[in-house]
Amino acid sequence: MKKPTLQTINAKLDKILEHQKKILSEETELESEEKEVIKEEKKELNALEQLKKLEEEISKDVGPHPLKKFTAQDAARGVVGAFFGSVAHYTFIYGMKVAESIDVYRAGFLYLLSFIIGGVFLYATGFRKIKDPKLLKFLPMRLTVLYITSLLMAVVVLLLFNPGFGSNFFDSYKQVATVSLTAIIGACTADIIGKE
């Protein structure tokens, strides 16, 4: 066996160094590619997070809430509540007696008072727990529907139980005003039954 010469050792070392440089350049290239892949993954993760946030916002906007919609069942519940609120303990009789002693301005104030009490009642029983301002905008709409329902039921009750109702506009106006307070309380009470 021949002893290796210095030249052959240097040649082999040069080949090894060349090979190591090649490996080092490949590693550097792989590291830069890996950094690019990591950057792309971070971008994709950020995009996914934004999509998740958008999905949550959409689900909040799209998801039905029981106070958002006003169905025929809600209207029927309001009608029944307003009817029983007006008829309970014959409050319409007391309303007719009170109507004889008040003027038209006080009757107008009673209409306003009924609306305000209905709003306070709805807010305190159903809408107070709601923190989302988008849902709170349904309170006036729901209150208006219930208020109109209660006024109509007050008219129906007075037509059924008072044969002289409607013969004089101002007397009828005052009678509906005095009965409207109990009617709106009945309608709002019936409306909150079964709400989440």
Side-chain angles (χ1 to χ4, degrees):
M1 202 171 183
K2 263 181 162 186
K3 216 173 182 189
T5 63
L6 190 57
Q7 276 183 330
T8 55
I9 291 174
N10 279 340
K12 285 184 179 181
L13 281 176
D14 284 341
K15 280 186 179 181
I16 291 173
L17 279 174
E18 224 177 275
H19 189 60
Q20 284 182 343
K21 283 181 182 178
K22 188 177 178 185
I23 290 173
L24 189 61
S25 72
E26 287 177 359
E27 284 180 355
T28 307
E29 195 176 305
L30 285 174
E31 284 178 3
S32 67
E33 287 177 6
E34 188 178 336
K35 286 180 182 177
E36 288 296 320
V37 168
I38 290 173
K39 282 182 184 178
E40 289 297 320
E41 286 177 352
K42 284 183 180 179
K43 285 181 184 178
E44 288 177 9
L45 284 174
N46 285 337
L48 282 174
E49 286 178 17
Q50 289 176 350
L51 283 174
K52 282 183 182 179
K53 287 179 184 177
L54 185 62
E55 181 183 3
E56 288 173 5
E57 288 177 15
I58 289 172
S59 66
K60 284 181 186 176
D61 290 342
V62 173
H65 192 277
L67 295 175
K68 253 187 178 180
K69 57 184 179 177
F70 195 80
T71 63
Q73 185 181 10
D74 294 327
R77 213 181 350 237
V79 166
V80 170
F83 181 79
F84 283 108
S86 301
V87 175
H89 304 290
Y90 297 100
T91 55
F92 67 92
I93 292 175
Y94 300 117
M96 289 186 310
K97 287 182 182 176
V98 170
E100 292 172 4
S101 63
I102 64 171
D103 59 6
V104 176
Y105 300 111
R106 286 182 193 250
F109 177 72
L110 280 177
Y111 282 108
L112 177 65
L113 182 66
S114 297
F115 188 80
I116 292 169
I117 288 177
V120 169
F121 194 87
L122 273 183
Y123 178 76
T125 56
F127 283 84
R128 179 176 38 108
K129 298 174 187 172
I130 297 173
K131 304 298 180 207
D132 188 3
K134 291 178 184 174
L135 290 178
L136 284 177
K137 72 179 180 182
F138 289 98
L139 175 66
M141 185 171 55
R142 194 171 198 89
L143 173 61
T144 302
V145 170
L146 288 173
Y147 181 70
I148 291 170
T149 302
S150 67
L151 291 179
L152 291 174
M153 287 313 298
V155 169
V156 167
V157 166
L158 288 168
L159 281 171
L160 287 174
F161 295 103
N162 182 10
F165 180 77
S167 59
N168 182 337
F169 173 77
F170 292 109
D171 288 342
S172 300
Y173 177 80
K174 293 188 294 184
Q175 289 172 357
V176 171
T178 56
V179 176
S180 67
L181 187 59
T182 56
I184 190 72
I185 290 173
C188 291
T189 302
D191 184 61
I192 63 167
I193 294 173
K195 294 288 175 221
E196 295 178 11

PDB file of all heavy atoms in Angstrom, residues 146-176:
ATOM      1  N   LEU A 146     -97.226  47.197  19.245  1.00  0.00           N
ATOM      2  CA  LEU A 146     -98.027  46.830  20.421  1.00  0.00           C
ATOM      3  C   LEU A 146     -98.947  47.974  20.852  1.00  0.00           C
ATOM      4  O   LEU A 146    -100.083  47.736  21.293  1.00  0.00           O
ATOM      5  CB  LEU A 146     -97.118  46.412  21.576  1.00  0.00           C
ATOM      6  CG  LEU A 146     -96.425  45.062  21.398  1.00  0.00           C
ATOM      7  CD1 LEU A 146     -95.423  44.832  22.512  1.00  0.00           C
ATOM      8  CD2 LEU A 146     -97.447  43.941  21.373  1.00  0.00           C
ATOM      9  N   TYR A 147     -98.480  49.198  20.718  1.00  0.00           N
ATOM     10  CA  TYR A 147     -99.304  50.358  21.097  1.00  0.00           C
ATOM     11  C   TYR A 147    -100.526  50.465  20.184  1.00  0.00           C
ATOM     12  O   TYR A 147    -101.652  50.644  20.661  1.00  0.00           O
ATOM     13  CB  TYR A 147     -98.453  51.622  21.026  1.00  0.00           C
ATOM     14  CG  TYR A 147     -99.188  52.874  21.411  1.00  0.00           C
ATOM     15  CD1 TYR A 147     -99.573  53.111  22.721  1.00  0.00           C
ATOM     16  CD2 TYR A 147     -99.497  53.839  20.454  1.00  0.00           C
ATOM     17  CE1 TYR A 147    -100.247  54.259  23.079  1.00  0.00           C
ATOM     18  CE2 TYR A 147    -100.172  54.990  20.797  1.00  0.00           C
ATOM     19  CZ  TYR A 147    -100.558  55.194  22.113  1.00  0.00           C
ATOM     20  OH  TYR A 147    -101.230  56.332  22.458  1.00  0.00           O
ATOM     21  N   ILE A 148    -100.291  50.329  18.890  1.00  0.00           N
ATOM     22  CA  ILE A 148    -101.414  50.394  17.937  1.00  0.00           C
ATOM     23  C   ILE A 148    -102.385  49.238  18.196  1.00  0.00           C
ATOM     24  O   ILE A 148    -103.609  49.422  18.173  1.00  0.00           O
ATOM     25  CB  ILE A 148    -100.889  50.389  16.484  1.00  0.00           C
ATOM     26  CG1 ILE A 148    -100.165  51.708  16.205  1.00  0.00           C
ATOM     27  CG2 ILE A 148    -102.007  50.164  15.488  1.00  0.00           C
ATOM     28  CD1 ILE A 148     -99.392  51.738  14.906  1.00  0.00           C
ATOM     29  N   THR A 149    -101.831  48.065  18.475  1.00  0.00           N
ATOM     30  CA  THR A 149    -102.675  46.907  18.788  1.00  0.00           C
ATOM     31  C   THR A 149    -103.519  47.178  20.032  1.00  0.00           C
ATOM     32  O   THR A 149    -104.722  46.872  20.054  1.00  0.00           O
ATOM     33  CB  THR A 149    -101.798  45.658  19.024  1.00  0.00           C
ATOM     34  OG1 THR A 149    -101.021  45.415  17.852  1.00  0.00           O
ATOM     35  CG2 THR A 149    -102.628  44.439  19.348  1.00  0.00           C
ATOM     36  N   SER A 150    -102.904  47.765  21.042  1.00  0.00           N
ATOM     37  CA  SER A 150    -103.659  48.029  22.275  1.00  0.00           C
ATOM     38  C   SER A 150    -104.745  49.079  22.050  1.00  0.00           C
ATOM     39  O   SER A 150    -105.836  48.965  22.613  1.00  0.00           O
ATOM     40  CB  SER A 150    -102.715  48.443  23.404  1.00  0.00           C
ATOM     41  OG  SER A 150    -102.123  49.685  23.124  1.00  0.00           O
ATOM     42  N   LEU A 151    -104.463  50.080  21.220  1.00  0.00           N
ATOM     43  CA  LEU A 151    -105.502  51.082  20.930  1.00  0.00           C
ATOM     44  C   LEU A 151    -106.670  50.448  20.159  1.00  0.00           C
ATOM     45  O   LEU A 151    -107.841  50.735  20.456  1.00  0.00           O
ATOM     46  CB  LEU A 151    -104.911  52.242  20.121  1.00  0.00           C
ATOM     47  CG  LEU A 151    -103.925  53.154  20.855  1.00  0.00           C
ATOM     48  CD1 LEU A 151    -103.419  54.244  19.922  1.00  0.00           C
ATOM     49  CD2 LEU A 151    -104.559  53.769  22.091  1.00  0.00           C
ATOM     50  N   LEU A 152    -106.340  49.599  19.204  1.00  0.00           N
ATOM     51  CA  LEU A 152    -107.409  48.929  18.454  1.00  0.00           C
ATOM     52  C   LEU A 152    -108.244  48.030  19.352  1.00  0.00           C
ATOM     53  O   LEU A 152    -109.481  47.989  19.242  1.00  0.00           O
ATOM     54  CB  LEU A 152    -106.809  48.116  17.302  1.00  0.00           C
ATOM     55  CG  LEU A 152    -106.198  48.926  16.155  1.00  0.00           C
ATOM     56  CD1 LEU A 152    -105.519  48.002  15.155  1.00  0.00           C
ATOM     57  CD2 LEU A 152    -107.260  49.765  15.468  1.00  0.00           C
ATOM     58  N   MET A 153    -107.584  47.328  20.264  1.00  0.00           N
ATOM     59  CA  MET A 153    -108.333  46.462  21.171  1.00  0.00           C
ATOM     60  C   MET A 153    -109.156  47.278  22.167  1.00  0.00           C
ATOM     61  O   MET A 153    -110.245  46.852  22.565  1.00  0.00           O
ATOM     62  CB  MET A 153    -107.383  45.511  21.906  1.00  0.00           C
ATOM     63  CG  MET A 153    -106.842  44.413  21.015  1.00  0.00           C
ATOM     64  SD  MET A 153    -108.091  43.589  20.003  1.00  0.00           S
ATOM     65  CE  MET A 153    -109.146  42.866  21.221  1.00  0.00           C
ATOM     66  N   ALA A 154    -108.657  48.439  22.561  1.00  0.00           N
ATOM     67  CA  ALA A 154    -109.456  49.309  23.431  1.00  0.00           C
ATOM     68  C   ALA A 154    -110.730  49.740  22.704  1.00  0.00           C
ATOM     69  O   ALA A 154    -111.824  49.744  23.293  1.00  0.00           O
ATOM     70  CB  ALA A 154    -108.637  50.523  23.859  1.00  0.00           C
ATOM     71  N   VAL A 155    -110.596  50.059  21.413  1.00  0.00           N
ATOM     72  CA  VAL A 155    -111.774  50.429  20.619  1.00  0.00           C
ATOM     73  C   VAL A 155    -112.735  49.253  20.515  1.00  0.00           C
ATOM     74  O   VAL A 155    -113.954  49.399  20.682  1.00  0.00           O
ATOM     75  CB  VAL A 155    -111.340  50.925  19.217  1.00  0.00           C
ATOM     76  CG1 VAL A 155    -112.529  51.055  18.286  1.00  0.00           C
ATOM     77  CG2 VAL A 155    -110.606  52.249  19.326  1.00  0.00           C
ATOM     78  N   VAL A 156    -112.206  48.051  20.257  1.00  0.00           N
ATOM     79  CA  VAL A 156    -113.055  46.862  20.134  1.00  0.00           C
ATOM     80  C   VAL A 156    -113.789  46.587  21.448  1.00  0.00           C
ATOM     81  O   VAL A 156    -115.007  46.319  21.444  1.00  0.00           O
ATOM     82  CB  VAL A 156    -112.202  45.632  19.711  1.00  0.00           C
ATOM     83  CG1 VAL A 156    -112.982  44.335  19.872  1.00  0.00           C
ATOM     84  CG2 VAL A 156    -111.719  45.792  18.288  1.00  0.00           C
ATOM     85  N   VAL A 157    -113.086  46.667  22.568  1.00  0.00           N
ATOM     86  CA  VAL A 157    -113.726  46.425  23.871  1.00  0.00           C
ATOM     87  C   VAL A 157    -114.811  47.459  24.120  1.00  0.00           C
ATOM     88  O   VAL A 157    -115.922  47.116  24.565  1.00  0.00           O
ATOM     89  CB  VAL A 157    -112.660  46.442  24.996  1.00  0.00           C
ATOM     90  CG1 VAL A 157    -113.307  46.536  26.373  1.00  0.00           C
ATOM     91  CG2 VAL A 157    -111.779  45.204  24.911  1.00  0.00           C
ATOM     92  N   LEU A 158    -114.524  48.711  23.831  1.00  0.00           N
ATOM     93  CA  LEU A 158    -115.536  49.756  24.054  1.00  0.00           C
ATOM     94  C   LEU A 158    -116.720  49.592  23.108  1.00  0.00           C
ATOM     95  O   LEU A 158    -117.864  49.862  23.491  1.00  0.00           O
ATOM     96  CB  LEU A 158    -114.895  51.142  23.906  1.00  0.00           C
ATOM     97  CG  LEU A 158    -113.955  51.516  25.058  1.00  0.00           C
ATOM     98  CD1 LEU A 158    -113.143  52.760  24.713  1.00  0.00           C
ATOM     99  CD2 LEU A 158    -114.737  51.712  26.343  1.00  0.00           C
ATOM    100  N   LEU A 159    -116.463  49.138  21.887  1.00  0.00           N
ATOM    101  CA  LEU A 159    -117.579  48.868  20.964  1.00  0.00           C
ATOM    102  C   LEU A 159    -118.436  47.705  21.463  1.00  0.00           C
ATOM    103  O   LEU A 159    -119.666  47.739  21.331  1.00  0.00           O
ATOM    104  CB  LEU A 159    -117.049  48.540  19.561  1.00  0.00           C
ATOM    105  CG  LEU A 159    -116.610  49.719  18.704  1.00  0.00           C
ATOM    106  CD1 LEU A 159    -115.917  49.235  17.443  1.00  0.00           C
ATOM    107  CD2 LEU A 159    -117.817  50.589  18.342  1.00  0.00           C
ATOM    108  N   LEU A 160    -117.798  46.691  22.025  1.00  0.00           N
ATOM    109  CA  LEU A 160    -118.544  45.523  22.495  1.00  0.00           C
ATOM    110  C   LEU A 160    -119.362  45.811  23.746  1.00  0.00           C
ATOM    111  O   LEU A 160    -120.496  45.343  23.874  1.00  0.00           O
ATOM    112  CB  LEU A 160    -117.577  44.370  22.800  1.00  0.00           C
ATOM    113  CG  LEU A 160    -116.947  43.661  21.609  1.00  0.00           C
ATOM    114  CD1 LEU A 160    -115.911  42.643  22.081  1.00  0.00           C
ATOM    115  CD2 LEU A 160    -118.026  42.960  20.792  1.00  0.00           C
ATOM    116  N   PHE A 161    -118.809  46.568  24.669  1.00  0.00           N
ATOM    117  CA  PHE A 161    -119.445  46.727  25.977  1.00  0.00           C
ATOM    118  C   PHE A 161    -120.101  48.088  26.197  1.00  0.00           C
ATOM    119  O   PHE A 161    -120.737  48.282  27.231  1.00  0.00           O
ATOM    120  CB  PHE A 161    -118.415  46.470  27.093  1.00  0.00           C
ATOM    121  CG  PHE A 161    -117.923  45.054  27.114  1.00  0.00           C
ATOM    122  CD1 PHE A 161    -116.672  44.738  26.615  1.00  0.00           C
ATOM    123  CD2 PHE A 161    -118.718  44.042  27.628  1.00  0.00           C
ATOM    124  CE1 PHE A 161    -116.214  43.436  26.636  1.00  0.00           C
ATOM    125  CE2 PHE A 161    -118.259  42.730  27.653  1.00  0.00           C
ATOM    126  CZ  PHE A 161    -117.007  42.422  27.144  1.00  0.00           C
ATOM    127  N   ASN A 162    -119.948  49.010  25.274  1.00  0.00           N
ATOM    128  CA  ASN A 162    -120.552  50.333  25.428  1.00  0.00           C
ATOM    129  C   ASN A 162    -121.332  50.646  24.158  1.00  0.00           C
ATOM    130  O   ASN A 162    -120.757  51.058  23.152  1.00  0.00           O
ATOM    131  CB  ASN A 162    -119.463  51.380  25.672  1.00  0.00           C
ATOM    132  CG  ASN A 162    -120.026  52.767  25.887  1.00  0.00           C
ATOM    133  OD1 ASN A 162    -121.231  52.945  26.033  1.00  0.00           O
ATOM    134  ND2 ASN A 162    -119.150  53.759  25.888  1.00  0.00           N
ATOM    135  N   PRO A 163    -122.626  50.489  24.191  1.00  0.00           N
ATOM    136  CA  PRO A 163    -123.431  50.695  22.974  1.00  0.00           C
ATOM    137  C   PRO A 163    -123.362  52.130  22.439  1.00  0.00           C
ATOM    138  O   PRO A 163    -123.502  52.347  21.237  1.00  0.00           O
ATOM    139  CB  PRO A 163    -124.860  50.360  23.398  1.00  0.00           C
ATOM    140  CG  PRO A 163    -124.806  49.889  24.799  1.00  0.00           C
ATOM    141  CD  PRO A 163    -123.430  50.084  25.317  1.00  0.00           C
ATOM    142  N   GLY A 164    -123.077  53.095  23.266  1.00  0.00           N
ATOM    143  CA  GLY A 164    -123.042  54.481  22.814  1.00  0.00           C
ATOM    144  C   GLY A 164    -121.670  54.922  22.302  1.00  0.00           C
ATOM    145  O   GLY A 164    -121.489  56.077  21.904  1.00  0.00           O
ATOM    146  N   PHE A 165    -120.714  54.015  22.295  1.00  0.00           N
ATOM    147  CA  PHE A 165    -119.356  54.372  21.865  1.00  0.00           C
ATOM    148  C   PHE A 165    -119.364  54.743  20.383  1.00  0.00           C
ATOM    149  O   PHE A 165    -119.964  54.078  19.555  1.00  0.00           O
ATOM    150  CB  PHE A 165    -118.393  53.205  22.098  1.00  0.00           C
ATOM    151  CG  PHE A 165    -116.974  53.507  21.671  1.00  0.00           C
ATOM    152  CD1 PHE A 165    -116.161  54.295  22.458  1.00  0.00           C
ATOM    153  CD2 PHE A 165    -116.476  53.012  20.478  1.00  0.00           C
ATOM    154  CE1 PHE A 165    -114.872  54.592  22.077  1.00  0.00           C
ATOM    155  CE2 PHE A 165    -115.177  53.287  20.088  1.00  0.00           C
ATOM    156  CZ  PHE A 165    -114.371  54.087  20.881  1.00  0.00           C
ATOM    157  N   GLY A 166    -118.701  55.828  20.077  1.00  0.00           N
ATOM    158  CA  GLY A 166    -118.568  56.271  18.691  1.00  0.00           C
ATOM    159  C   GLY A 166    -119.587  57.310  18.273  1.00  0.00           C
ATOM    160  O   GLY A 166    -119.503  57.859  17.176  1.00  0.00           O
ATOM    161  N   SER A 167    -120.564  57.596  19.136  1.00  0.00           N
ATOM    162  CA  SER A 167    -121.571  58.587  18.757  1.00  0.00           C
ATOM    163  C   SER A 167    -121.010  60.004  18.849  1.00  0.00           C
ATOM    164  O   SER A 167    -121.416  60.884  18.093  1.00  0.00           O
ATOM    165  CB  SER A 167    -122.817  58.443  19.635  1.00  0.00           C
ATOM    166  OG  SER A 167    -122.465  58.621  20.991  1.00  0.00           O
ATOM    167  N   ASN A 168    -120.078  60.241  19.754  1.00  0.00           N
ATOM    168  CA  ASN A 168    -119.439  61.550  19.884  1.00  0.00           C
ATOM    169  C   ASN A 168    -117.919  61.318  19.817  1.00  0.00           C
ATOM    170  O   ASN A 168    -117.358  60.570  20.620  1.00  0.00           O
ATOM    171  CB  ASN A 168    -119.831  62.182  21.225  1.00  0.00           C
ATOM    172  CG  ASN A 168    -119.245  63.573  21.397  1.00  0.00           C
ATOM    173  OD1 ASN A 168    -118.242  63.929  20.783  1.00  0.00           O
ATOM    174  ND2 ASN A 168    -119.881  64.352  22.255  1.00  0.00           N
ATOM    175  N   PHE A 169    -117.265  61.994  18.875  1.00  0.00           N
ATOM    176  CA  PHE A 169    -115.838  61.750  18.651  1.00  0.00           C
ATOM    177  C   PHE A 169    -115.004  62.055  19.889  1.00  0.00           C
ATOM    178  O   PHE A 169    -114.146  61.268  20.277  1.00  0.00           O
ATOM    179  CB  PHE A 169    -115.325  62.582  17.465  1.00  0.00           C
ATOM    180  CG  PHE A 169    -113.836  62.490  17.302  1.00  0.00           C
ATOM    181  CD1 PHE A 169    -113.256  61.362  16.744  1.00  0.00           C
ATOM    182  CD2 PHE A 169    -113.002  63.515  17.735  1.00  0.00           C
ATOM    183  CE1 PHE A 169    -111.879  61.257  16.605  1.00  0.00           C
ATOM    184  CE2 PHE A 169    -111.622  63.418  17.611  1.00  0.00           C
ATOM    185  CZ  PHE A 169    -111.061  62.284  17.038  1.00  0.00           C
ATOM    186  N   PHE A 170    -115.255  63.197  20.539  1.00  0.00           N
ATOM    187  CA  PHE A 170    -114.421  63.596  21.674  1.00  0.00           C
ATOM    188  C   PHE A 170    -114.620  62.672  22.881  1.00  0.00           C
ATOM    189  O   PHE A 170    -113.660  62.340  23.583  1.00  0.00           O
ATOM    190  CB  PHE A 170    -114.683  65.061  22.051  1.00  0.00           C
ATOM    191  CG  PHE A 170    -114.197  66.014  21.002  1.00  0.00           C
ATOM    192  CD1 PHE A 170    -115.089  66.719  20.215  1.00  0.00           C
ATOM    193  CD2 PHE A 170    -112.837  66.185  20.777  1.00  0.00           C
ATOM    194  CE1 PHE A 170    -114.635  67.580  19.238  1.00  0.00           C
ATOM    195  CE2 PHE A 170    -112.379  67.043  19.802  1.00  0.00           C
ATOM    196  CZ  PHE A 170    -113.284  67.751  19.026  1.00  0.00           C
ATOM    197  N   ASP A 171    -115.876  62.245  23.107  1.00  0.00           N
ATOM    198  CA  ASP A 171    -116.114  61.289  24.190  1.00  0.00           C
ATOM    199  C   ASP A 171    -115.414  59.962  23.893  1.00  0.00           C
ATOM    200  O   ASP A 171    -114.796  59.359  24.782  1.00  0.00           O
ATOM    201  CB  ASP A 171    -117.621  61.051  24.389  1.00  0.00           C
ATOM    202  CG  ASP A 171    -118.315  62.245  25.019  1.00  0.00           C
ATOM    203  OD1 ASP A 171    -117.600  63.097  25.617  1.00  0.00           O
ATOM    204  OD2 ASP A 171    -119.555  62.329  24.923  1.00  0.00           O
ATOM    205  N   SER A 172    -115.492  59.511  22.659  1.00  0.00           N
ATOM    206  CA  SER A 172    -114.829  58.262  22.268  1.00  0.00           C
ATOM    207  C   SER A 172    -113.312  58.403  22.393  1.00  0.00           C
ATOM    208  O   SER A 172    -112.626  57.482  22.852  1.00  0.00           O
ATOM    209  CB  SER A 172    -115.193  57.887  20.829  1.00  0.00           C
ATOM    210  OG  SER A 172    -116.578  57.707  20.714  1.00  0.00           O
ATOM    211  N   TYR A 173    -112.801  59.555  21.990  1.00  0.00           N
ATOM    212  CA  TYR A 173    -111.352  59.822  22.078  1.00  0.00           C
ATOM    213  C   TYR A 173    -110.880  59.718  23.524  1.00  0.00           C
ATOM    214  O   TYR A 173    -109.862  59.091  23.821  1.00  0.00           O
ATOM    215  CB  TYR A 173    -111.085  61.226  21.509  1.00  0.00           C
ATOM    216  CG  TYR A 173    -109.654  61.686  21.583  1.00  0.00           C
ATOM    217  CD1 TYR A 173    -108.717  61.259  20.652  1.00  0.00           C
ATOM    218  CD2 TYR A 173    -109.245  62.577  22.577  1.00  0.00           C
ATOM    219  CE1 TYR A 173    -107.394  61.701  20.712  1.00  0.00           C
ATOM    220  CE2 TYR A 173    -107.934  63.022  22.647  1.00  0.00           C
ATOM    221  CZ  TYR A 173    -107.012  62.578  21.707  1.00  0.00           C
ATOM    222  OH  TYR A 173    -105.715  63.012  21.773  1.00  0.00           O
ATOM    223  N   LYS A 174    -111.655  60.309  24.438  1.00  0.00           N
ATOM    224  CA  LYS A 174    -111.291  60.285  25.853  1.00  0.00           C
ATOM    225  C   LYS A 174    -111.439  58.877  26.440  1.00  0.00           C
ATOM    226  O   LYS A 174    -110.615  58.449  27.246  1.00  0.00           O
ATOM    227  CB  LYS A 174    -112.142  61.294  26.637  1.00  0.00           C
ATOM    228  CG  LYS A 174    -111.847  62.741  26.256  1.00  0.00           C
ATOM    229  CD  LYS A 174    -112.535  63.746  27.145  1.00  0.00           C
ATOM    230  CE  LYS A 174    -114.034  63.701  26.994  1.00  0.00           C
ATOM    231  NZ  LYS A 174    -114.712  64.745  27.797  1.00  0.00           N
ATOM    232  N   GLN A 175    -112.461  58.147  26.028  1.00  0.00           N
ATOM    233  CA  GLN A 175    -112.660  56.790  26.544  1.00  0.00           C
ATOM    234  C   GLN A 175    -111.524  55.856  26.110  1.00  0.00           C
ATOM    235  O   GLN A 175    -111.019  55.066  26.918  1.00  0.00           O
ATOM    236  CB  GLN A 175    -114.015  56.236  26.075  1.00  0.00           C
ATOM    237  CG  GLN A 175    -115.202  56.896  26.737  1.00  0.00           C
ATOM    238  CD  GLN A 175    -116.530  56.472  26.137  1.00  0.00           C
ATOM    239  OE1 GLN A 175    -116.577  55.707  25.178  1.00  0.00           O
ATOM    240  NE2 GLN A 175    -117.621  56.992  26.694  1.00  0.00           N
ATOM    241  N   VAL A 176    -111.115  55.945  24.852  1.00  0.00           N
ATOM    242  CA  VAL A 176    -110.004  55.114  24.380  1.00  0.00           C
ATOM    243  C   VAL A 176    -108.728  55.485  25.131  1.00  0.00           C
ATOM    244  O   VAL A 176    -107.930  54.613  25.491  1.00  0.00           O
ATOM    245  CB  VAL A 176    -109.819  55.252  22.851  1.00  0.00           C
ATOM    246  CG1 VAL A 176    -108.542  54.561  22.382  1.00  0.00           C
ATOM    247  CG2 VAL A 176    -111.011  54.685  22.105  1.00  0.00           C
TER     248      VAL A 176
END
